[in-house]
Amino acid sequence: MYITYKEYTSLGGKLDVDSFERLAFKASRVIDLHTHSRLKDVSCVPQAVKYACTELVDFMSEHTDGGTVKSFSTDGYSESRGGAAEISAAQEDIIYSYLAEVCVNGVPLLYKGVDC
C-alpha cells in the first residue's frame, strides 16, 4: 500500500482503520494498473501518490453500492445508477489529476510507452 492510516487521516480521511485497510489496498492496485507498477520498488512514495490514494479510498467508500445515482423519481420510486464504466472513468480522473506530471527515476508514472 502507498499510504498508511496515519497519513490518510492527516490528509483528511474519515474512514475507520478496517475500512481504510481494505480500500487502500484496492486503491493501490488501481494506481499500479495505471502506472504499470512503477511504484513497487520506490522507497519514498511521492506525496502526490498519497493524495491520489486518499481521494481514491474516499471515492471507493462512497461508491460501493453499484454506482452513483444518475436520476431519481419519488412518486413511483425510480432510481437510475451509473455503472462500472462511470466509476472507472472517475477513478481514472482522480489518478490523472494527481499523477499526470509525477516522475519516478526519470520516467513519468503514467507513461504508456516502453521503458528502457
Side-chain angles (χ1 to χ4, degrees), residues 1-4 7 24-25 27-29 31-32 35 37-42 45-46 49-50 53:
M1 291 192 307
Y2 298 123
I3 191 168
T4 64
E7 291 168 326
F25 179 81
S28 295
R29 299 298 66 88
I31 290 172
D32 283 343
T35 62
S37 299
R38 288 188 177 95
L39 292 163
K40 287 278 188 184
D41 298 323
V42 173
V45 176
V49 174
K50 294 177 185 198
C53 220

Side-chain angles (χ1 to χ4, degrees), residues 11-108:
L11 294 174
K14 305 276 188 244
L15 294 179
D16 62 86
V17 69
D18 292 331
S19 298
F20 163 78
E21 291 289 330
R22 181 178 57 80
L23 292 174
F25 179 81
K26 209 171 164 183
S28 295
R29 299 298 66 88
V30 170
I31 290 172
D32 283 343
L33 176 70
H34 288 280
T35 62
H36 303 285
S37 299
R38 288 188 177 95
L39 292 163
K40 287 278 188 184
D41 298 323
V42 173
S43 59
C44 183
V45 176
Q47 191 67 18
V49 174
K50 294 177 185 198
Y51 278 110
C53 220
T54 297
E55 193 162 330
L56 281 170
V57 166
D58 290 343
F59 177 82
M60 289 175 179
S61 74
E62 295 169 3
H63 296 87
T64 58
D65 61 354
T68 55
V69 175
K70 291 172 69 174
S71 65
F72 186 84
S73 168
T74 56
D75 244 357
Y77 183 77
S78 174
E79 186 175 287
S80 173
R81 294 186 171 269
E86 282 113 353
I87 290 173
S88 181
Q91 289 176 346
E92 190 172 293
D93 287 346
I94 292 168
I95 290 168
Y96 278 83
S97 69
Y98 285 100
L99 305 183
E101 298 178 9
V102 178
C103 293
V104 171
N105 300 327
V107 178

